[in-house]
Amino acid sequence: MYKAKAYSAESATSPLGPATIPRRDPAENDVQIEILFCGICHSDLHQVRNEWSGVMPTVYPCVPGHEIVGRVTRVGSAVRKFKPGDLAGVGCMVDSDRTCPECQAGLEQFCPNFTLTYNFPDKHLGGVTYGGYSEGIVVDQKFVLHVPANLNLAGAAPLLCAGITTYSPMRHWGVGKGKKVGVVGLGGLGHMAVKFAHALGAEVAVFTTSPKKKDDALRLGADEVILSKNADEMQKHERSFDFILDAVSADHDISAYINLLRRDGNIVMVGAPEKPLAISVFGLLMARRSLSGSPIGGIAETQEMLDFCGKHNITSDVEVIPIQKVNEAYLRLLKADVKYRFSIDMASLKSE
Ligand code: NAP
Ligand code: ZN
């Protein structure tokens, strides 16, 4: 075991601040990574503030961060996938049971015994896992991804959660040429969804509450931008969408979007608001529409997504910040004031 610098929260109401955390010495299948960049996901904020207390209560101190990109510094004797000096990525999971039907199918995100990157029981050191707001991490090679060398690293980090969480449902539900796709909420996840839907050849519309984001949405690949507070604009799109991805972090009216789906259309929730959402079931049953959800993605699909991004030169649009600005960044996330992901330059942790 060794000590690593990190940023942690001590309670649901305290700001994040410097801390020292334990990391395990790499065992035979482990990869030790020096973290270069870590994205700030809105899930980090939900978790730090214990907003998901009913499903995943937060254990303090909490070190969030599951959009990790770094460089391999050491590998265990059985590691063949990586060598020191390689680029490496780590997303939301660091382990699973590898034997259940979900793992056998390469869908580790549904494994009942997976280990999330932070705030999950740590099988090696006891306590809970600590995430990427840290100078380093040690992860089993199976859960470490290859990051294409042509990608900007600060912009690649958010692919490990925002990227896979939007890519996976689009692949699952067949987004592509000839499909009309809606993206609700132009934040970290939403802007990646726009890039993927566009790259996959779909017609893309963005629904936003922020008129200021209109030009950006078009630049990111949207064909159309709809201000969701404008009822007339919304009504014009009734019964026209094949697929809508909802990436909103707070309470909002999803029935308004259900009504925009065509017959047999599907709205997938990737956003995870604190409180249950109200649904008008008539919107669902009148046109046999579906409401679904999707969490992150499996390891093989995450690698597929990263390779897709390498090929199409897709990264997240990031505002790079030092770790010392993390609390300010959280406040800005709550105001939907992010373009379009904060990426922490972990070199800033050296001065702590
Ligand atoms: P984010 O960057 O903060 O973006 C959220 C966006 O939602 C905002 O930019 C805003 O877009 C819109 N929004 C915020 N408050 C709103 C409100 N009251 N009404 C309507 N729209 C509102 O968050 P993120 O990191 O993309 O994460 C989004 C959600 O996905 C979070 O709940 C997060 O926990 C969840 N998540 C889920 C998974 C998964 O596996 N399913 C993975 C990662 C994250 P506009 O300004 O365009 O309206
Ligand atoms: Zn996330």
Side-chain angles (χ1 to χ4, degrees), residues 40-43 46 52 66 161-162 165 184-190 206-210 213 228 247-252 269-273 294-296 333-334 336-338 340-341:
I40 297 181
C41 181
H42 205 114
S43 302
H46 289 306
W52 294 336
H66 55 209
C161 175
T165 301
V184 188
L186 197 66
L189 266 58
V206 166
F207 296 92
T208 181
T209 58
S210 309
K213 294 182 181 173
S228 50
V248 174
S249 52
D251 190 25
H252 60 293
M269 303 304 300
V270 292
S294 183
I296 49 173
L333 268 192
L334 288 173
D337 174 23
V338 49
Y340 278 87
R341 198 59 144 185

Side-chain angles (χ1 to χ4, degrees), residues 58-77:
T58 307
V59 178
Y60 296 96
C62 174
V63 177
H66 55 209
E67 295 187 333
I68 299 167
V69 163
R71 213 168 267 288
V72 175
T73 47
R74 236 168 106 188
V75 297
S77 57

